[in-house]
């Protein structure tokens, strides 16, 4: 077997810790920003929907690079794996810098286009947060690609350590800038910028160490090799379009949330943050799925691939169920730490509880399982299913249930769960019909 239980544990535990750190810092960020006021929380929430859209595009490139590298490693072609890694960093840097300048130039226009109906003070805070967030795009993009490369060789400990460094810096500076300097939203985004820059520098240095199986030979001489870039983009483009459509749908839905008023925007921000904690095991094991299945496919061993898919899915369902039960019991206490109105907290609790029940049943099949398909070079299928389901069910039904039927914010979360059900059905069907097999990329 390519991965023993010990190997899987070494891969998965750091990934879970890494996701936990990221979500916990997000929780702490929202908590600290909430002391500035609900308008500040709303502004950060609105901008983060766009930030996540763009960061997921970078993450999709990282996934493409990770699949290519993992398959080369499964073949035993380490030289080609290292060469692919360098091409990934090159294309990631170029794309992220282009997007950074685009967002800086069209900052106000983009925000008013998407969230034009929000209150004036919310928009002012959003403009500040968006402008400085854009400066961090190249740093987070290169960090994500570097972390994906380490995970591709099964070394998730490195990405965990770097994530810890980034998140500790972020939370310490957040506290200093918000409570010490009283810089509000600007302080929150400045802390994020500095933390991402440091994490990017650290992971690039670690990638240059030749003691590892996967390393970058130098950062001075670069040359585009479109043969390898095309392999990365074969996974990266469908994954990027899929993530992009997913986040674009969320942005359009966020625009709908904005019409419900500041209470709903703030409740949605808090709910989104706490609901992310419920899916930590699923996100972590989804990343592990790319590494494990990618190497199995590279070795052309689909029996092992099917064995590990079933095993990882069982682990995902069990771990998510346990965590969700614990978090739902703790949610009423957690919500008391937010400096929000009772109306906002009550609405947030409804959304969080509904999310937890739905996630325990449908989320793993809708989001962890398709990572196995992507690792097997079946990314076009996952893109088509995800994009169609997002537009048809989550987006359309959000307007029907939340606005037309008058359910409000909870209606948006109901539409989201229906989207999960549809995705799960199609991905499970794809796995059992076997059409994802025999699609080696390298």
């Amino acid at each position: 077997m390519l991965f023993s239980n010990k190997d899987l544990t070494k891969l998965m535990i750091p990934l879970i810790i890494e996701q936990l750190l990221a979500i916990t810092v997000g929780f702490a960020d929202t908590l600290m920003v909430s002391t500035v006021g609900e308008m500040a929380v709303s502004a950060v929430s609105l901008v983060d929907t766009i930030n996540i859209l763009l960061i997921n595009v970078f993450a999709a490139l990282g996934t493409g690079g990770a699949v290519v590298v993992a398959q080369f490693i499964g073949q035993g072609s380490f030289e080609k794996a290292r060469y692919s890694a360098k091409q990934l960093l090159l294309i990631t840097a170029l794309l992220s810098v282009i997007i950074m300048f685009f967002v800086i130039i069209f900052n106000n226009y983009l925000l008013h286009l998407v969230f034009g109906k929000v209150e004036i003070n919310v928009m002012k805070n959003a403009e500040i947060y968006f402008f400085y967030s854009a400066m961090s795009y190249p740093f987070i993009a290169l960090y994500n690609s570097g972390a994906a490369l380490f995970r591709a060789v099964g070394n998730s400990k490195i990405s965990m350590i770097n994530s810890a460094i980034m998140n500790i810096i972020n939370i310490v500076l957040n506290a200093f800038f918000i409570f010490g300097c009283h810089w509000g939203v600007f302080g929150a985004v400045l802390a994020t910028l500095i933390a991402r820059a440091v994490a990017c520098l650290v992971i690039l240095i670690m990638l240059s160490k030749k003691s590892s199986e996967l390393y970058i030979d130098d950062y001075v001489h670069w040359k585009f090799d479109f043969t390898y870039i095309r392999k990365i983009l074969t996974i990266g483009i469908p994954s990027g379009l899929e993530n992009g459509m997913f986040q674009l749908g969320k942005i359009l839905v966020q625009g709908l949330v904005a019409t419900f008023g500041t209470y709903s925007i703030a409740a949605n921000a808090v709910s989104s943050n706490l609901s992310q904690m419920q899916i930590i095991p699923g996100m972590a094991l989804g990343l592990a799925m790319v590494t494990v299945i990618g190497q199995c496919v590279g070795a052309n061993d689909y029996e092992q691939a099917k064995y590990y898919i079933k095993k990882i899915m069982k682990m995902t369902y069990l771990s998510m169920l346990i965590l969700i039960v614990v978090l739902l019991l703790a949610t009423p206490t957690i919500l008391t730490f937010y400096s929000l109105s009772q109306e906002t907290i009550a609405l947030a609790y409804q959304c969080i509880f509904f999310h937890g029940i739905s996630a325990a049943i449908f989320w793993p099949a809708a989001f962890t399982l398709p990572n196995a398909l992507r690792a097997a070079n079946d990314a076009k299928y996952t893109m088509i299913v995800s994009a169609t389901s997002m537009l048809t069910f989550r987006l359309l039904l959000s307007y029907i249930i939340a606005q037309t039927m008058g359910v409000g914010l909870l209606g948006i979360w109901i539409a989201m769960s229906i989207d999960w059900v549809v995705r799960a059905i199609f991905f499970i069907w794809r796995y059992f019909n076997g059409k994802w097999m025999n699609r080696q990329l390298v």
Side-chain angles (χ1 to χ4, degrees):
M1 303 297 290
L2 289 174
F3 293 86
S4 65
N5 287 334
K6 184 178 180 181
D7 293 331
L8 289 176
T9 301
K10 286 175 64 177
L11 174 64
M12 294 174 180
I13 296 300
L15 289 175
I16 292 173
I17 295 173
E18 181 180 348
Q19 295 299 316
L20 178 61
L21 285 170
I23 300 301
T24 302
V25 169
F27 167 75
D29 280 353
T30 305
L31 197 63
M32 285 187 275
V33 172
S34 72
T35 63
V36 182
E38 291 189 350
M39 289 188 177
V41 175
S42 299
V44 171
S45 173
L46 293 175
V47 173
D48 274 345
T49 57
I50 302 178
N51 282 339
I52 293 170
L53 164 65
L54 298 174
I55 290 171
N56 277 350
V57 172
F58 307 141
L61 280 178
T63 299
V67 169
V68 172
V69 168
Q71 290 194 14
F72 273 131
I73 289 171
Q75 286 184 355
S77 304
F78 288 94
E79 187 63 35
K80 291 181 179 178
R82 289 191 284 269
Y83 192 68
S84 300
K86 191 168 183 177
Q87 292 299 309
L88 171 63
L89 294 184
L90 179 59
I91 192 66
T92 298
L94 180 62
L95 178 64
S96 61
V97 169
I98 291 172
I99 292 177
M100 177 189 72
F101 280 114
F102 178 82
V103 170
I104 288 175
I105 293 170
F106 296 103
N107 180 342
N108 295 352
Y109 176 78
L110 290 171
L111 288 175
H112 284 274
L113 177 66
V114 180
F115 309 119
K117 295 182 179 180
V118 300
E119 298 177 30
I120 294 175
N121 287 334
V122 173
M123 182 59 73
K124 287 181 178 179
N125 280 315
E127 289 172 359
I128 294 170
Y129 194 78
F130 196 31
F131 182 86
Y132 290 98
S133 291
M135 294 184 180
S136 72
Y137 291 162
F139 300 125
I140 191 63
L142 286 170
Y143 166 78
N144 281 339
S145 290
L149 291 173
F150 279 114
R151 289 194 293 265
V153 295
N155 191 350
S156 57
K157 185 178 179 181
I158 295 294
S159 62
M160 178 195 72
I161 293 171
N162 277 275
S163 177
I165 293 171
M166 177 170 64
N167 290 320
I168 290 171
I169 292 174
N170 193 357
I171 200 167
V172 170
L173 291 182
N174 242 337
F176 176 71
F177 292 149
I178 291 176
F179 300 131
C181 302
H182 304 289
W183 287 348
V185 167
F186 171 69
V189 73
L190 180 61
T192 300
L193 173 60
I194 295 172
R196 288 175 176 176
V198 173
C200 173
L201 179 63
V202 171
I203 206 162
L204 290 179
I205 292 173
M206 297 182 84
L207 270 173
S208 68
K209 295 186 180 301
K210 297 185 178 180
S211 56
S212 173
E213 293 175 333
L214 186 70
Y215 60 85
I216 305 300
D217 54 2
D218 71 82
Y219 290 113
V220 177
H221 303 94
W222 297 88
K223 180 183 178 182
F224 283 103
D225 190 324
F226 290 99
T227 300
Y228 285 80
I229 290 176
R230 187 172 63 252
K231 294 180 187 296
I232 294 170
L233 295 181
T234 297
I235 303 295
I237 289 178
S239 296
L241 289 173
E242 178 182 338
N243 290 343
M245 290 297 293
F246 180 76
Q247 293 301 326
L248 179 60
K250 289 182 70 174
I251 290 172
L252 294 175
V253 169
Q254 189 76 1
L256 175 60
V257 173
T259 66
F260 298 149
T262 302
Y263 286 133
S264 289
I265 298 174
N268 192 59
V270 173
S271 302
S272 298
N273 192 247
L274 291 181
S275 66
Q276 286 294 302
M277 298 181 72
Q278 297 174 353
I279 60 175
I280 286 172
M283 292 189 294
L285 297 183
L287 294 172
M289 190 80 85
V290 172
T291 299
V292 175
I293 306 307
Q295 291 195 25
C296 289
V297 170
N300 199 30
D301 193 335
Y302 286 93
E303 288 305 310
Q304 284 202 55
K306 289 189 286 186
Y307 169 80
Y308 285 120
I309 289 172
K310 293 176 183 177
K311 186 168 187 172
I312 293 173
M313 288 301 294
K314 289 177 183 177
M315 296 169 67
T316 304
Y317 269 105
L318 180 61
S319 57
M320 279 187 59
L321 177 61
I322 294 171
L323 180 61
I324 286 170
V325 169
V326 172
L327 288 175
L328 287 182
L329 292 173
T331 295
T333 302
I334 295 172
L335 288 174
T336 61
F337 291 104
Y338 285 91
S339 303
L340 301 172
S341 65
Q342 287 301 312
E343 182 178 351
T344 300
I345 290 176
L347 185 56
Y349 181 74
Q350 292 178 24
C351 296
I352 294 164
F353 188 85
F354 181 81
H355 180 280
I357 301 300
S358 301
I361 302 170
F362 305 114
W363 200 94
F367 292 96
T368 303
L369 179 58
N371 268 2
L373 305 181
R374 295 184 190 102
N377 193 25
D378 199 16
K380 288 182 181 178
Y381 179 82
T382 64
M383 174 193 71
I384 293 170
V385 170
S386 299
T388 304
S389 182
M390 161 59 78
L391 294 175
T392 306
F393 294 96
R394 182 178 295 199
L395 185 58
L396 181 61
L397 288 182
S398 287
Y399 280 87
I400 293 174
I401 299 173
Q403 192 171 63
T404 305
M405 296 175 63
V407 178
L409 180 63
L410 183 60
I412 290 174
W413 290 69
I414 293 172
M416 175 183 67
S417 295
I418 296 172
D419 170 40
W420 295 354
V421 174
V422 174
R423 291 168 186 255
I425 291 171
F426 278 94
F427 293 142
I428 291 171
W429 175 80
R430 185 69 165 185
Y431 169 76
F432 281 108
N433 74 16
K435 291 185 179 179
W436 56 277
M437 297 189 288
N438 300 311
R439 294 170 172 266
Q440 291 97 327
L441 181 61
V442 302

